[in-house]
Amino acid sequence: MKETDMLTMRGIHKEFPGVKALSNVDFTLRKGEIHALMGENGAGKSTLIKVLTGVYPLDRGDIRVEGIEGAVINHSPEEAQKNGISTVYQEVNLCPNISVAENISLARQPLTKWGAVKWKKMNKTAEAALEAVGLKIDVTKTLGDYSVAIQQMVAIARAVDVQCKVLILDEPTSSLDDQEVKKLFEVMKSLKNQGVSIIFVTHFLEQVYEVCDAITVLRNGELVGRYDVAELPRVQLVAKMLGHEYDDLAQIRSQGGESLSGESRETILDARELTKAGSIRPFDLEIGKGEVIGLTGLLGSGRSELARLLFCADKPDRGELSFKGEAVRAHNPIDSLKRGMAFLPEDRKEEGIIGDLSVRENLIIALQARTGMFKLLPLSKQNELADKFIKILSIKTASAETPVSQLSGGNQQKVILGRWLITDPDFLILDEPTRGIDVGTKAEIQKLIVQLAREGMTIMFISSEIEEMLRTVDRLCVLCDRKKVGELKNENITQHNVMAAIAGGNQ
Amino acid sequence: MNLIEQAKRKVSGSNFLLMVTIVMFAIMYLAGILIYSRQGFGNMQTFMNMLIDNAGLIIVASGMTVVIITGGIDISVGSMVGLSCMMLAYMMEIKGMKASTAVGIVLLFGIVFGTVQGWLISYLKIQPFIVTLAGMFFARGLTAMISVDQIAILSNQNFLDMANKNIYLPFGAIVNKRGIKLFPFIHPSVVIALITLAVIWYVLKYTKFGRSVFAIGGSEQSAMLMGLNVRKVKMSAYVLNGFLSALGGFVFCLNTTSGFVEQARGFEMEAIASTVIGGTLLTGGVGTVVGSFFGVLIKAIIETYIRSNGTLSSWWNKIVLSLLLCFFIVLQSVFAALRRRRG
């Protein structure tokens, strides 16, 4: 460990059953620097942090902290705090049922010599801590009464208030508005001047270039490299995160201005200035019948959020949405289903498959939900539909009555896809339908998408794998930092253009 | 900030549910005085009798409140009360032990019992319902092993003195027909119960342990990430509850002065009901022992109504209690829904 280093992690290994989450990762944090930890979903950022702070046990590796003799292994967040590492985790990790002040000083309340909590002093300390992050609120109120953004600021205030050497901020800005982000950056810079080292995890490229000194990029649980911010242009960073070399720098150009022309298709969905605070900035989107439209962007760029607005899973703050020529007023997923939309959500692994039910039952469930609980579909009809879709999707199963849990992951995926196809939607949203399945099945699903579109179904395809988008979509929307930054069409859809659009998105 | 706003803030949050309970109690009490004035409902002694009859329940409900605030549950307490009574009766009557020794052993047993349950729940992460269900069967079985016959405590004079001692209060006297002033009295059991209540209130409000209990009930994961030793705190809550159920058993025994297999059957449910009526959320994180105290009193008032009336079936007790429980649970979810909308 060098004199200038605050924290070093060497050869970090972490394995979960069946998954290598981290393999041989090195990480160095210098004194008084703000260090961005970047990577796509599943890259291992959060795991690295949780290993460091003792939430997960470390399999192998060596962690050293400045001022502490020998290797440091934290067995719990409590221990990590004692070793000078303070963390704000991705989701607000505070207790909503107790007061703001208590949340700030939990586990280290000021006590009288008899061991009683000094409430007044605790409230005063909390007020001071919040003032440091520019917040003036009633600290005696229950935390849950405040908005998520304020809760996030409280979490930050707590982490800062714990006297620490290393401050870890795991996506602290995802629920903050611009003003709050600015304030947070001020706080971070002032801490940096006091000699605190900060690990900053974020999806927002803009923020990295605004506040960070160094970047470490992870991909698939492996270290890609450590770079100085000044020496790594945006495009290179995007390329390193996605794992493709971006060789031709000359081609960088913003695609933001390009619009769709010569659209001859009948419009099925039209969104104007649709927006929801904290999830996606205003966007326009027109989708033609039978079109396959792709949505891409880095994780957290607002892909799923956009889709959720279109499906009415979330209520927009402003803007207009019309579907099949009719303005959509009631924002309710059930109505969307009835209107002929279907949505395959991203986190279906937990929510989608009902393992103990048969393939038939899993296939039929969405259609049954649409017809109503009391109008049971006749068994003959169920069998007919099930057999048909097992064939269409070539689901490999012993029979329609086999429990879904006995199928392989890829086939389970097809069953969920089939579940929505059975409802015969006019507009189908697929959020990451190919994640975590083998190449063969991927290709089959891609083929199916193209074929369905040819038959007149409109499909929105969301994926972070640009290559598969290239093969499937007619038109590609690129999102960055919750904003639609570009649209690419036909021959313009290339790796380079997509990366350029992401990198140039907010310049 | 003006006074009204301050009052509003006081009422908001968990205090609101507590206020409802207290107001409910006040209304029921006043109604009782109006309806059953001839039966002497308004006498201070009637109120004191409620405390005397329910001293054990007050203690057990206090412990239950702590456990429920952590987000857990303990349904072994009824059997523990029954077992405590049986152990006391057996040790004092059959073995001829001193009262203090017998009580000491019972309390120690409560701590050990709570420790085992707490360890299983917090360190092995087994559902509290299952662990304490096993504990409930175990304690009841053990009671029957000691004796299937009722053992009445007749010979231990120290214990009986403590059970029957009248502590007269210096206020609230009534004058009877012969012109003699009668002061209301309580038994030592009530003193023990009220001291316990005060101590638990203080522990929950002012100690690190107490505040940790709330934090864990709000979000175990968050509390862990904020650096609390969740397992230790949870285990301590069950140890405390084990102790309190034994103490509650001792106080219960002061009222019954006997041990019997069927004793205090369903007592755990009464404790849970009182706690819920008192504004403690079964999901954890919100609650007060003061509320549970009033929850016990509301149950006691219904019993007193029925006794005063004289013709009502005592099963009305259960019916009214069930309606009240429903009312409070609905109130809690309405309250939670409002809160979500505001958030």
Side-chain angles (χ1 to χ4, degrees), chain A residues 177-478:
Chain A
D177 67 24
D178 295 345
Q179 204 59 38
E180 287 158 339
V181 169
K182 230 172 100 190
K183 188 73 212 175
L184 172 64
F185 285 175
E186 276 171 34
V187 174
M188 284 166 68
K189 282 173 189 159
S190 105
L191 283 172
K192 174 181 145 180
N193 291 337
Q194 290 164 34
V196 176
S197 304
I198 301 175
I199 303 176
F200 185 46
V201 180
T202 182
H203 292 307
F204 300 106
L205 300 180
E206 202 180 353
Q207 297 178 351
V208 172
Y209 284 91
E210 192 178 331
V211 75
C212 295
D213 304 306
I215 304 176
T216 291
V217 179
L218 299 181
R219 191 172 65 237
N220 296 329
E222 284 170 19
L223 178 73
V224 176
R226 182 191 193 283
Y227 313 93
D228 284 334
V229 167
E231 287 162 17
L232 189 72
R234 269 172 207 228
V235 158
Q236 292 279 16
L237 174 59
V238 173
K240 292 204 186 308
M241 285 167 68
L242 295 177
H244 303 286
E245 282 310 313
Y246 189 91
D247 39 14
D248 195 355
L249 285 164
Q251 282 199 10
I252 304 173
R253 66 191 165 95
S254 170
Q255 300 287 333
E258 189 168 326
S259 70
L260 199 68
S261 59
E263 185 55 71
S264 57
R265 289 187 165 110
E266 180 191 343
T267 302
I268 184 164
L269 182 136
D270 190 14
R272 296 260 163 248
E273 290 286 309
L274 213 56
T275 180
K276 180 172 163 63
S279 95
I280 185 126
R281 306 215 185 142
F283 67 93
D284 291 338
L285 188 64
E286 203 180 322
I287 303 172
K289 199 165 160 23
E291 189 176 22
V292 179
I293 181 154
L295 278 190
T296 194
L298 299 174
L299 185 76
S301 57
R303 298 177 313 212
S304 304
E305 287 81 356
L306 193 152
R308 286 176 67 84
L309 275 188
L310 294 184
F311 187 65
C312 303
D314 288 332
K315 206 169 143 52
D317 297 335
R318 260 182 302 114
E320 284 161 27
L321 176 68
S322 68
F323 185 63
K324 290 193 211 161
E326 276 175 54
V328 173
R329 287 214 178 71
H331 289 276
N332 189 330
I334 295 266
D335 291 327
S336 302
L337 272 180
K338 288 186 178 148
R339 271 184 222 116
M341 285 194 197
F343 182 38
L344 182 72
E346 197 177 0
D347 51 358
R348 66 203 163 272
K349 257 271 150 72
E350 283 88 31
E351 295 173 8
I353 277 289
I354 307 167
D356 293 335
L357 294 187
S358 70
V359 173
R360 170 179 57 83
E361 285 163 318
N362 266 291
L363 278 168
I364 225 81
I365 202 161
L367 184 62
Q368 184 69 66
R370 202 172 67 173
T371 22
M373 221 199 310
F374 300 106
K375 292 182 207 146
L376 193 66
L377 290 168
L379 195 61
S380 57
K381 172 102 180 157
Q382 288 190 25
N383 284 329
E384 186 195 317
L385 279 170
D387 290 340
K388 188 176 147 199
F389 278 88
I390 288 173
K391 219 172 124 199
I392 291 180
L393 295 166
S394 52
I395 298 171
K396 290 186 189 66
T397 169
S399 83
E401 301 305 317
T402 311
V404 144
S405 53
Q406 292 181 13
L407 270 55
S408 70
N411 281 305
Q412 290 188 359
Q413 200 86 341
K414 289 190 202 166
V415 170
I416 313 182
L417 187 58
R419 176 188 293 171
W420 294 109
L421 293 180
I422 282 184
T423 63
D424 193 20
D426 299 311
F427 181 51
L428 175 64
I429 303 172
L430 303 172
D431 196 353
E432 298 275 7
T434 59
R435 181 187 295 159
I437 58 179
D438 62 89
V439 185
T441 318
K442 262 184 196 176
E444 276 177 55
I445 287 180
Q446 289 159 12
K447 230 161 63 193
L448 185 78
I449 288 171
V450 174
Q451 193 197 332
L452 285 168
R454 240 176 248 147
E455 287 163 15
M457 195 182 285
T458 313
I459 296 168
M460 175 172 265
F461 184 33
I462 304 174
S463 172
S464 40
E465 282 181 47
I466 296 172
E467 280 163 44
E468 72 173 1
M469 298 287 237
L470 303 184
R471 287 197 287 273
T472 354
V473 302
D474 301 322
R475 188 156 56 107
L476 188 62
C477 276
V478 184

Side-chain angles (χ1 to χ4, degrees), chain B residues 22-35:
Chain B
I22 293 176
V23 168
M24 187 86 152
F25 169 74
I27 291 172
M28 288 173 83
Y29 193 70
L30 285 176
I33 291 175
L34 290 177
I35 300 167

Side-chain angles (χ1 to χ4, degrees), chain B residues 104-328:
Chain B
I105 290 173
V106 164
L107 294 182
L108 199 67
F109 180 80
I111 292 173
V112 172
F113 193 80
T115 308
V116 173
Q117 290 197 137
W119 185 78
L120 289 171
I121 290 163
S122 47
Y123 285 84
L124 296 191
K125 296 197 191 318
I126 307 175
Q127 286 287 323
F129 186 87
I130 296 302
V131 171
T132 57
L133 182 68
M136 171 176 146
F137 291 145
F138 178 77
R140 192 63 73 183
L142 208 56
T143 313
M145 288 298 290
I146 295 172
S147 165
V148 282
D149 301 316
Q150 181 163 358
I151 305 174
I153 301 169
L154 302 167
S155 58
N156 194 313
Q157 209 48 51
N158 279 343
F159 190 82
L160 291 176
D161 282 350
M162 188 170 183
N164 299 323
K165 184 178 169 56
N166 290 351
I167 303 171
Y168 288 95
L169 299 174
F171 54 84
I174 50 161
V175 181
N176 73 357
K177 278 177 257 170
R178 282 178 226 111
I180 300 165
K181 252 185 151 186
L182 291 178
F183 282 99
F185 64 86
I186 51 173
H187 290 318
S189 59
V190 176
V191 178
I192 299 174
L194 293 181
I195 289 174
T196 307
L197 188 76
V199 169
I200 301 297
W201 174 81
Y202 181 86
V203 164
L204 280 179
K205 171 92 183 170
Y206 284 105
T207 64
K208 222 169 159 174
F209 165 74
R211 300 323 295 170
S212 305
V213 163
F214 278 92
I216 288 172
S219 169
E220 219 176 295
Q221 177 73 9
S222 298
M224 189 268 285
L225 290 175
M226 281 197 272
L228 277 185
N229 192 335
V230 171
R231 288 185 295 193
K232 204 170 102 192
V233 173
K234 259 173 97 169
M235 172 145 164
S236 311
Y238 286 94
V239 175
L240 176 67
N241 193 43
F243 169 75
L244 288 179
S245 60
L247 183 66
F250 159 56
V251 167
F252 192 88
C253 193
L254 285 176
N255 277 352
T256 61
T257 59
S258 70
F260 179 48
V261 181
E262 289 293 312
Q263 208 158 44
R265 184 148 272 196
F267 203 66
E268 64 283 345
M269 294 304 156
E270 284 182 13
I272 294 170
S274 307
T275 310
V276 170
I277 287 175
T280 299
L281 296 184
L282 278 176
T283 45
V286 177
T288 62
V289 279
V290 179
S292 305
F293 173 65
F294 279 99
V296 171
L297 286 182
I298 284 178
K299 183 210 137 226
I301 272 197
I302 302 167
E303 279 168 356
T304 313
Y305 276 175
I306 287 159
R307 210 172 300 146
S308 303
N309 183 292
T311 57
L312 280 174
S313 156
S314 68
W315 289 103
W316 275 105
N317 182 4
K318 301 273 181 221
I319 292 174
V320 178
L321 207 60
S322 72
L323 291 178
L324 273 177
L325 256 183
C326 286
F327 171 74
F328 276 95

Side-chain angles (χ1 to χ4, degrees), chain A residues 13-263:
Chain A
H13 278 273
K14 176 72 200 168
E15 213 165 310
F16 293 113
V19 193
K20 247 201 168 124
L22 292 173
S23 77
N24 201 23
V25 171
D26 291 349
F27 181 76
T28 307
L29 183 67
R30 300 215 176 101
K31 279 180 194 161
E33 82 173 349
I34 302 179
H35 194 124
L37 190 57
M38 308 281 295
E40 274 290 89
N41 205 352
K45 296 165 300 190
S46 286
T47 312
L48 186 69
I49 282 168
K50 287 189 171 158
V51 164
L52 174 61
T53 56
V55 179
Y56 298 148
L58 174 69
D59 287 354
R60 206 144 28 92
D62 179 63
I63 303 176
R64 282 171 200 271
V65 180
E66 191 259 356
I68 298 176
E69 282 287 316
V72 174
I73 294 173
N74 296 314
H75 298 93
S76 67
E78 194 186 356
E79 209 177 318
Q81 266 179 33
K82 279 192 195 120
N83 286 332
I85 302 171
S86 180
T87 316
V88 178
Y89 294 93
Q90 190 168 353
E91 302 84 29
V92 178
N93 274 297
L94 298 173
C95 298
N97 60 318
I98 56 181
S99 78
V100 172
E102 280 205 88
N103 267 299
I104 288 178
S105 55
L106 192 70
R108 48 191 185 88
Q109 296 101 327
L111 301 177
T112 63
K113 60 179 176 206
W114 304 103
V117 174
K118 290 190 204 160
W119 282 87
K120 276 194 184 134
K121 186 167 179 219
M122 190 170 80
N123 290 341
K124 279 229 177 71
T125 318
E127 271 165 18
L130 285 173
E131 207 158 304
V133 297
L135 206 59
K136 234 181 132 72
I137 55 171
D138 182 357
V139 295
T140 60
K141 263 174 89 171
T142 311
L143 181 84
D145 287 349
Y146 290 107
S147 69
V148 177
I150 288 185
Q151 292 184 24
Q152 186 72 60
M153 290 306 274
V154 171
I156 293 165
R158 175 189 162 85
V160 172
D161 193 48
V162 178
Q163 293 300 319
C164 61
K165 289 185 278 191
V166 177
L167 175 64
I168 303 173
L169 301 168
D170 191 353
E171 288 188 48
T173 57
S174 43
S175 55
L176 303 183
D177 67 24
D178 295 345
Q179 204 59 38
E180 287 158 339
V181 169
K182 230 172 100 190
K183 188 73 212 175
L184 172 64
F185 285 175
E186 276 171 34
V187 174
M188 284 166 68
K189 282 173 189 159
S190 105
L191 283 172
K192 174 181 145 180
N193 291 337
Q194 290 164 34
V196 176
S197 304
I198 301 175
I199 303 176
F200 185 46
V201 180
T202 182
H203 292 307
F204 300 106
L205 300 180
E206 202 180 353
Q207 297 178 351
V208 172
Y209 284 91
E210 192 178 331
V211 75
C212 295
D213 304 306
I215 304 176
T216 291
V217 179
L218 299 181
R219 191 172 65 237
N220 296 329
E222 284 170 19
L223 178 73
V224 176
R226 182 191 193 283
Y227 313 93
D228 284 334
V229 167
E231 287 162 17
L232 189 72
R234 269 172 207 228
V235 158
Q236 292 279 16
L237 174 59
V238 173
K240 292 204 186 308
M241 285 167 68
L242 295 177
H244 303 286
E245 282 310 313
Y246 189 91
D247 39 14
D248 195 355
L249 285 164
Q251 282 199 10
I252 304 173
R253 66 191 165 95
S254 170
Q255 300 287 333
E258 189 168 326
S259 70
L260 199 68
S261 59
E263 185 55 71

